[in-house]
Amino acid sequence: MIPRLKDVSPVQSHYLAFIDALRKTGFEGELNPDYANRTVLATDNSIYQVLPQAVIYPRHREDLQRLTRLISQPDWHSIVISPRGGGTGTNGQSLTDGIVVDLSRHMNRILEINAEEGWVRVEGGAVKDQLNAALKPHGLFFAPELSTSNRATIGGMINTDASGQGSVMYGKTRDHVLNLSTVLLDGTLLETGALDETRLAEAKAQPGLTGRVHQTVDDIHQRRQQDIEARFPKLNRCLTGYDLAHIRDDQGQFNLNNILCGSEGTLGFIVEARLNVLSIPKVSALVNVRYDSFETSLRDAQTLMQARPTSIETVDSRVLELAKGDIVWNTVAEYFPSAEGEIVNGINLVEFTADDDATLEAGVKRLTDSLDALQGQPGKCNGYSVAWGNKAVNQIWGMRKKSVGLLGNAQGEARPVPFVEDTAVPPENLADFIMAFRKVLDDEGLTYGMFGHVDAGVLHVRPALDMKDPEQVKTVRRVTDAVVELVQQYGGLLWGEHGKGVRSEFAPAFFGDLYPELQAIKRAFDPHNQLNPGKIATTAPELKLLAIDAVTLRGDYDRTIPVESWSYQSEAMYCNGNGACYNYDPNDAMCPSWKGTRERKHSPKGRASLVREWTRLLGEQGQNTQSLAAAEARRMPLLHWIPRAWNTWRRERGDYDFSNEVYESMSGCLACKSCTGQCPIKVDVPEFRAKFLHLYYGRYLRPLKDYFIGTLEFVIPWLAKRPFKWVYNGLLAAKPVQWFLEHVAGMVDSPRIHRHQLGSLMHKLGIDWAEADILQGLPAAERERSVVIVQDAFSSFFDTDTVADILRCLQQLGFRVWVLPYRANGKPLHVHGFLKTFTWVAKRRQRDFAELEKSGIPLVGIDPSMTLAYRSEYKKYLEGDVTPVLLLQEFLGQRLSQLESLQSRFKPGTVKLLGHCTEKTNAAASMKDWQSVFSALGLTLEHEAVGCCGMAGTYGHETRNKGTSATIYDLSWRPLLENQPAEQWVATGYSCRSQAQRQQGVTLKHPLQYLADRFTG
Ligand SMILES: Cc1cc2nc3c(=O)[nH]c(=O)nc-3n(C[C@H](O)[C@H](O)[C@H](O)COP(=O)(O)OP(=O)(O)OC[C@H]3O[C@@H](n4cnc5c(N)ncnc54)[C@H](O)[C@@H]3O)c2cc1C
Ligand code: SF4
Ligand code: SF4
């Protein structure tokens, strides 16, 4: 049994007192000193892990003013705080051992769009893609681009002065900031923007911090203008944090925005920004140029620039190979053909944008003419493809963005880590610089993938290191020092894109005698060094900045996790915190529990962080999860009822156990598997969650609902028999039973058993049960046209008519259909951590399949999620081969010519597909397969981007999830289906169809039901 984990790092008493005092000021947001929140917010995407004392989520700017007014009082000068947005920093930018102040949860609204004047007002916690989605209907966009655009916040972008692809054309975030509203440390709201001399004089005369910061910065500008001019490099990626070179803007006006941009949360809280927005270019194209070496692609980029493109990005072969192995490749493969024997080691992605086709075509022609003329010559390209249109271009950029994350998905213990990943040099020096950089890495024997914004001279690289190994950790210092020297030699910067964070260490050397001026600015804004201290500049000469090897590393924690636990729960261990699972997009499958709660602990990253810490704490008590799980599997749960009941009683009495905090996070997971498919590192929450529950329930009693859900697949065939069915359905309709189920058993809106029996419907269709010996005895031709349908409990017993329609459609398509007698699949057992029983069920089911497989007739499942369990969960728990069970569209997709021959027998029509999250994210081709099937029959099926429906098997039927399930539905499905005719949609998942019915009263059909209705005979 897992021991109780009662000893976690305690919150320091003066922080607890501060939080108490803050609560008394009327602070309306959440104040979380719990260990789960602290653990989840202890990491970003860097190599560091710093445990905060608390995490707080301000509800509005008044909360921040309450916080800052309190903290500036002498009693609280020892309290330190750090603002946080998406937490995607790569160098510990938002990490603190004080209080994390996360603005992304509540302060994330888009306040005003002025399309006529081309600006927008947003709160600091709004996400960049969220802003662009709101601007799109106006034909506008916020131009600075970054790979993390679906989760990085505007506040984070301003504070790191973010930029990325397209920066040569569009500049950095700073270039688009018009006005900022910043809460200063004394609670003042500072409004900044370009000031003429009169307004500057007025600002300097203001009392308090406002006057002081204006005086200080203006004084620096007046005294040090020439030194600044001499010291700051003339790069597209100009130096921020603090950008002394732009105290006065290009028009000569004083502008504090330029100091705040890139200040990394060290000067104040950006609560609101007025931003300049641009018209979306109407048309775009991307020329994808292939090279046999990365060096050639880098050197050729300078020539490509002569065609005056919007941007040029380079990726190396490693990045390309990683993309090829990911679900994302499906959308872009056609643009990267390679001829027989062609070696592709570098690609330049050259983008052209314009407002009309003629200008666009002329731009592309400028480039392709020169490529055609030189193709195949030494130092030139092998070939190219052109992707025309915004959709194709965005798909390729999507692949490029994702490949940044994919770089982290190396196998083995050495994983790519960021520490020298965003150097910038003048573009003309880039190729030479990269060759020298590669030598540093090669001499260390490191592996790495590279890509970069070649037009801006920015290189991205993450060398692979096992940060658990103290020897390899030393490489960070050696390589960083060598790269610092190189950037100086080539006239560039170590911090070309992602900001400084703990790399602020190198600031004093870089700024030289200007560094004290940075300290003066810091002192003016933050007299007591309380805001994200140790980054950018300290307030006094004797105070030291953080250093790259003087901050706790995540590896320091990971190293203490027992190796057995590390490998047993490997699905959680390699999360690198890149935050792709914080995707804001409601129409994307990842991650419904995070979107429904906006709590970071209810995200894949949150859950992975908690399980890592949990295994570490167990390790401190001499326990490893692998042995604990094996022991648990040997135990008879009933015999251990008494100790579990005792522990449960003590839990209810309030005895602290960190396992309960982990449990709270795990039980919010829908087990939709979107993380399993979409996380670039393939973090698999349902798997490590099942393992956690298996152990957790060895210590505590399970809730009653788990037994209902776990046994449902076994009892349902009996309940579905007459007269039990009528009794069961009758009971479910009775109010007292509903009350009992909801309040005692923990289940709501349990579905009724269908009035029809599948057996009778099959009989009407002339369909027989599949038996291995009968199938094996069929003549070859008969076997060739046969298919065996593998039933699942949800479809067969609750949605029986749909199953019959599917069988009918398969007959219409010319197949001889057989149905495998029902047996439990076991997925609900896996979801709830009944791993011992699940393994038994899976073995039993696989034995059936193995017999059937001998006939060579394909096995096909109906519900996507249940069907995919045969190839994922089964594979993990069974030894040897697992029989393939296909999705309907996979089976039909392999028989397109047969379908084409039936085209004339189906009425044409167009319908939109609402795919199930598990199939969309775990079976890469599944949506395209449906489209091919429909198109072979002369019909059109459009894939609709939609998020999770909030049901996910039984999640939506659990009382504790009732509210979140509805919230998730409202995020994406409800607005899509609102006031739309139900006939225009089809949905593959039983859960999705039943949730649409339950939440909105909409009856959706399965794609094959739709086809069956269009059959003309
Ligand atoms: C895989 C990957 C790819 C990346 N690609 C790019 C890229 O292409 N271009 C690029 O520029 N960066 C990139 N980054 C770095 C990172 O995404 C950016 O720095 C981003 O701007 C950070 O935004 P955030 O909301 O996550 O901020 P956080 O990481 O939460 O915070 C960043 C800094 O801003 C401060 N801060 C945040 N919000 C506020 C606020 N409201 N007020 C005051 N201070 C605040 C924090 O204290 C911290 O110092 C990448 C990171 C990853 C993991
Ligand atoms: S779970 Fe995956 S997507 Fe989320 S932060 Fe970890 S590695 Fe990134
Ligand atoms: S399974 Fe779904 S709900 Fe659970 S963590 Fe993964 S994406 Fe989120």
Side-chain angles (χ1 to χ4, degrees), residues 589-593 603-604 607 668-676 685-686:
M590 182 97 110
C591 152
S593 60
S603 69
R607 297 187 172 113
C669 168
L670 287 85
C672 69
K673 300 197 72 165
S674 298
C675 48
T676 318
V685 178

Side-chain angles (χ1 to χ4, degrees), residues 47 413 417 465-469 473 476 553 555-556 559:
I47 55 178
E413 292 306 314
V417 285
L465 291 173
D466 178 2
M467 295 296 288
K468 300 193 297 314
D469 175 357
V473 167
V476 172
L553 296 164
D556 297 338
R559 196 175 301 136

Side-chain angles (χ1 to χ4, degrees), residues 323-338:
K324 279 183 188 169
D326 189 78
I327 192 163
V328 76
W329 190 248
N330 248 15
T331 56
V332 301
E334 62 187 290
Y335 302 109
F336 300 93
S338 60

Side-chain angles (χ1 to χ4, degrees), residues 310-589:
T310 309
S311 69
I312 308 185
E313 300 275 299
T314 301
V315 296
D316 75 359
S317 56
R318 189 174 164 79
V319 173
L320 206 63
E321 285 312 312
L322 285 168
K324 279 183 188 169
D326 189 78
I327 192 163
V328 76
W329 190 248
N330 248 15
T331 56
V332 301
E334 62 187 290
Y335 302 109
F336 300 93
S338 60
E340 182 92 18
E342 182 186 347
I343 297 166
V344 181
N345 279 328
I347 299 253
N348 278 326
L349 305 169
V350 191
E351 187 187 31
F352 290 86
T353 52
D355 282 334
D356 59 80
D357 288 335
T359 316
L360 182 75
E361 280 160 24
V364 171
K365 190 167 180 311
R366 269 198 306 276
L367 178 67
T368 51
D369 281 354
S370 72
L371 292 175
D372 290 338
L374 299 170
Q375 186 170 327
Q377 291 184 18
K380 296 295 163 191
C381 72
N382 289 347
Y384 64 87
S385 71
V386 185
W388 293 100
N390 292 348
K391 186 172 174 217
V393 170
N394 287 336
Q395 279 172 338
I396 298 173
W397 284 139
M399 178 276 287
R400 214 290 277 137
K401 279 187 187 183
K402 191 163 186 197
S403 48
V404 188
L406 291 172
L407 273 175
N409 192 27
Q411 295 307 304
E413 292 306 314
R415 300 277 168 143
V417 285
F419 57 100
V420 282
E421 69 159 0
D422 57 332
T423 50
V425 296
E428 59 279 14
N429 294 348
L430 185 64
D432 291 332
F433 168 72
I434 290 183
M435 292 309 124
F437 197 139
R438 288 183 94 143
K439 186 166 181 330
V440 171
L441 301 177
D442 293 341
D443 288 351
E444 289 279 354
L446 298 170
T447 54
Y448 51 88
M450 284 186 165
F451 63 97
H453 316 296
V454 272
D455 48 1
V458 175
L459 167 74
H460 288 305
V461 59
R462 290 188 173 194
L465 291 173
D466 178 2
M467 295 296 288
K468 300 193 297 314
D469 175 357
E471 278 311 305
Q472 294 192 49
V473 167
K474 292 179 190 157
T475 318
V476 172
R477 166 60 70 190
R478 283 200 303 272
V479 170
T480 309
D481 285 347
V483 172
V484 166
E485 245 177 66
L486 277 184
V487 284
Q488 276 165 357
Q489 190 183 330
Y490 286 91
L493 293 170
L494 177 66
W495 328 274
E497 190 169 278
H498 297 178
K500 298 193 178 101
V502 300
R503 301 181 301 178
S504 298
E505 168 192 349
F506 299 98
F510 183 87
F511 284 94
D513 66 355
L514 284 175
Y515 179 66
E517 309 297 358
L518 302 190
Q519 290 184 303
I521 293 176
K522 171 74 176 169
R523 225 170 16 248
F525 277 89
D526 177 15
H528 302 286
N529 204 24
Q530 289 173 282
L531 256 174
N532 211 1
K535 322 240 172 90
I536 311 274
T538 59
T539 45
E542 68 280 6
L543 291 177
K544 288 265 168 293
L545 287 160
L546 296 172
I548 58 167
D549 41 13
V551 176
T552 353
L553 296 164
R554 202 187 116 182
D556 297 338
Y557 287 86
D558 289 352
R559 196 175 301 136
T560 62
I561 296 176
V563 279
E564 297 85 353
S565 304
W566 186 268
S567 76
Y568 180 63
Q569 281 176 314
S570 59
E571 306 85 13
M573 298 302 162
Y574 300 102
C575 165
N576 68 8
N578 65 69
C581 50
Y582 293 148
N583 186 346
Y584 103 92
D585 184 356
N587 294 326
D588 188 283

